């Protein structure tokens, strides 16, 4: 068992389309545990730092414009192998390659409007959590149902 934390973001299209509840419901039903949440408008400079690995690519300016176009919900969630688990639940970056049953496969059409971000590994999870949250914004809490999700 590897209890991990991952950084998730419901992007501006998820907020604008009223899909926060639908997506959060799937993550909660899986049994993952929320430890931090913040509804915010990302400053351009922070969006550029978050997506620094894509700087210089053709889609970068459009990506930053989209990510800063309206409020987003940034979050930290905890669970067994959650980093890869959430990547599976999200589906591939291009929703047209994401199978039905995944968030992007069920609810999105284009890469540039793919609803959700999730860290792609332990190092990016740590980096992204620290980029968006202070320690006091992250809750260590026990949930009485935890033993029914993880042994
Ligand atoms: P993911 O979000 O699945 O981790 P990524 O890190 O490769 O994918 O890219 C980050 C975001 O950048 C992605 O969610 C949407 C955008 N993006 C990536 N490739 C793109 C492309 N070829 N055209 C337009 N947007 C793209
Ligand atoms: Mg990525």
């Amino acid at each position: 068992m590897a209890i991990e934390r991952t950084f998730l973001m419901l992007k501006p299209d998820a907020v604008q389309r009223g899909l926060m509840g639908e997506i959060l419901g799937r993550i909660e039903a899986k049994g993952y545990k929320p430890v931090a949440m913040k509804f915010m408008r990302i400053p351009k400079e922070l969006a550029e730092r978050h997506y620094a690995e894509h700087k210089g690519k053709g889609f970068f300016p459009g990506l930053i414009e989209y990510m800063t176009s309206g409020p987003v919900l940034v979050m930290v969630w905890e669970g067994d192998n959650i980093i890869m688990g959430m990547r599976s639940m999200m589906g591939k970056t291009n929703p047209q390659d994401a199978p039905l049953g995944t968030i992007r496969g069920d609810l999105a059409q284009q890469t540039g409007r793919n609803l959700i971000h999730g860290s792609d590994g332990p190092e990016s999870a740590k980096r992204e959590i620290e980029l968006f949250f202070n320690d006091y914004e992250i809750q260590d809490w026990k949930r009485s149902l935890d033993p029914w999700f993880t042994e």
Side-chain angles (χ1 to χ4, degrees), residues 51 53-54 87 117-118 120:
Y51 278 129
E53 62 174 314
H54 297 301
R87 295 290 294 186
H117 168 85
D120 62 10

Side-chain angles (χ1 to χ4, degrees), residues 12-123:
D13 49 340
V15 174
Q16 296 283 356
R17 291 176 56 195
L19 288 174
M20 285 191 293
E22 159 79 32
I23 297 170
L24 291 175
R26 291 178 182 218
I27 303 170
E28 271 194 315
K30 178 81 174 172
Y32 293 146
K33 184 164 72 175
V35 294
M37 285 195 194
K38 200 154 58 174
F39 190 62
M40 66 181 288
R41 182 89 175 248
I42 308 180
K44 186 162 183 255
E45 190 262 348
L46 180 57
E48 288 174 346
R49 283 178 68 192
H50 173 65
Y51 278 129
E53 62 174 314
H54 297 301
K55 201 160 190 173
K57 295 182 185 167
F59 62 80
F60 189 75
L63 175 63
I64 299 304
E65 196 179 340
Y66 157 55
M67 296 301 297
T68 56
S69 65
V72 299
L73 186 67
V74 292
M75 306 177 280
V76 182
W77 286 71
E78 193 176 275
D80 189 8
N81 198 27
I82 190 174
I83 299 173
M84 283 307 120
M86 274 309 308
R87 295 290 294 186
S88 301
M89 282 179 68
M90 287 160 51
K92 289 233 166 74
T93 307
N94 182 343
Q96 295 182 20
D97 298 330
L100 294 180
T102 66
I103 293 165
R104 288 164 168 172
D106 285 348
L107 305 171
Q109 299 177 42
Q110 294 184 342
T111 303
R113 297 288 183 271
N114 65 5
L115 296 172
I116 182 167
H117 168 85
S119 308
D120 62 10
E123 276 158 34

